[in-house]
């Protein structure tokens, strides 16, 4: 991992949650995801939450998915709350705020959320909590899980916003990608229900759309540090389980990558 004390302040930050992407589906599509996996493959990690709401509170609290190994001692966190009394690594960025989003805002970052799944719709009070971490947050019907071109719309919106942001302004852009979440069967013509196969097709679609976002971010003045990972997987009938918000390994194992754009 990089020294986050050299990253925060000098880099733009991009955090992308690939909502509901299973680790096994991500691994099988590495070769077909030149944007997300151009510089390397996915790391197997454990999510701190089995569904969107729980996982994102943890992420924004600085608790990103942890390596899926028994060696906990060598894992260095990117972010950690300041003054907890716990020992922290010199490369970890410490924030003196309730969460990393407001911590980054305190460092002069403009914080923007492009929402995707239902917890980001801002339609009911509960769905305003996660977007509420950010100074600016956006959700449109076209960003949601039922739109087969959701990522295209989300990326288009981000590109529009980027045009209005000064090059020297520090930017923390968060995007919750909804396309891989169910329903995703429409990414395979003729498929009647969601499956690992249709989720893989959704991921290929998402990767293709993210290319435009990466290109636009690369054109900005500051270098960009990107974190891309899933918030949880989902079960397609394994051991009788369906969906997420349950602690099966297909839910708790998630793909994780961090890289400089
Ligand atoms: Zn989710």
């Amino acid at each position: 991992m990089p020294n986050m004390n050299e990253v925060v302040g000098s880099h733009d930050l991009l955090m992308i949650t690939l909502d509901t992407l299973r680790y096994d589906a991500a691994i099988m599509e590495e070769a077909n995801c030149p944007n997300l996996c151009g510089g390397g493959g996915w790391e197997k990690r454990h999510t701190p939450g089995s569904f969107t709401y729980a996982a994102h509170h943890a992420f924004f609290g600085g608790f990103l998915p942890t390596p899926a190994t028994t060696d906990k001692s060598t894992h260095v966190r990117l972010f950690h709350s300041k003054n907890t009394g716990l020992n922290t690594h010199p490369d970890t960025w410490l924030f003196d705020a309730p969460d990393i989003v407001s911590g980054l805002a305190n460092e002069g970052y403009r914080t923007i959320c492009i929402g995707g799944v239902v917890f980001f719709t801002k339609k009911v009070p509960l769905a305003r909590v996660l977007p509420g971490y950010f100074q600016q947050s956006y959700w449109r019907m076209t960003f949601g899980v039922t739109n087969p071109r959701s990522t295209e719309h989300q990326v288009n919106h981000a590109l529009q916003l980027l045009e209005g942001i000064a090059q020297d302004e520090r930017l923390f852009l968060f995007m919750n990608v909804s396309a891989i979440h169910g329903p995703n069967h429409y990414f395979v013509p003729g498929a009647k229900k969601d499956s690992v196969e249709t989720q893989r097709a959704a991921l290929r679609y998402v990767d293709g759309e993210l290319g435009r976002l990466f290109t636009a971010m690369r054109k900005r003045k500051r270098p960009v540090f990107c974190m891309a990972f899933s918030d949880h997987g989902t079960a397609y009938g394994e051991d009788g389980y369906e969906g997420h918000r349950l602690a099966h390994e297909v839910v708790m194992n998630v793909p994780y990558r961090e890289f400089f754009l």
Side-chain angles (χ1 to χ4, degrees), residues 192-206:
K192 295 280 187 287
K193 62 195 253 299
D194 292 4
S195 65
V196 172
E197 186 197 357
T198 61
Q199 184 174 96
R200 289 172 61 179
L203 173 58
R204 294 194 294 272
Y205 160 75
V206 167

Side-chain angles (χ1 to χ4, degrees), residues 18 21-33 36-37 41-43 196 199-200 203 230 254-256:
L18 301 158
L21 176 60
R22 286 169 51 134
Y23 174 74
D24 56 357
I27 288 291
M28 288 187 279
E29 290 300 329
E30 277 180 345
N32 301 318
C33 292
L36 285 164
C37 298
W42 295 107
E43 185 185 340
V196 172
Q199 184 174 96
R200 289 172 61 179
L203 173 58
S230 173
V254 292
Y256 176 96

Side-chain angles (χ1 to χ4, degrees), residues 1-22:
M1 67 163 272
N3 182 344
M4 290 305 288
N5 293 295
E6 292 171 0
V7 170
V8 173
S10 62
H11 288 56
D12 285 336
L13 300 177
L14 177 61
M15 181 182 281
I16 299 170
T17 51
L18 301 158
D19 207 291
T20 316
L21 176 60
R22 286 169 51 134

Side-chain angles (χ1 to χ4, degrees), residues 161-237:
L161 293 171
L162 285 173
E163 282 176 18
I165 300 170
Q167 288 290 329
D168 55 354
E169 188 169 0
R170 295 170 176 174
L171 173 65
F172 173 39
L173 178 62
F174 167 79
M175 183 180 287
N176 172 255
V177 169
S178 69
I180 301 158
H181 189 285
N184 56 41
H185 57 86
Y186 45 67
F187 287 99
V188 172
K192 295 280 187 287
K193 62 195 253 299
D194 292 4
S195 65
V196 172
E197 186 197 357
T198 61
Q199 184 174 96
R200 289 172 61 179
L203 173 58
R204 294 194 294 272
Y205 160 75
V206 167
D207 186 80
E209 294 297 328
L210 288 178
R212 293 183 298 125
L213 177 62
F214 288 178
T215 299
M217 290 294 287
R218 283 192 187 105
K219 282 184 185 155
R220 285 178 56 77
K221 189 171 155 193
R222 293 179 186 280
V224 183
F225 180 64
C226 179
M227 297 153 276
F229 48 92
S230 173
D231 56 344
H232 52 79
T234 201
Y236 294 121

Side-chain angles (χ1 to χ4, degrees), residues 18-20 50-53 55-56 117 119 176 181 231-232 244:
L18 301 158
D19 207 291
T20 316
S50 66
F51 72 114
T52 307
Y53 195 67
H56 283 78
V117 305
F119 290 106
N176 172 255
H181 189 285
D231 56 344
H232 52 79
H244 38 278

Side-chain angles (χ1 to χ4, degrees), residues 43-46 66-70 253:
E43 185 185 340
K44 185 179 186 179
R45 291 210 173 189
H46 290 152
T66 46
T69 71
T70 52
N253 289 334

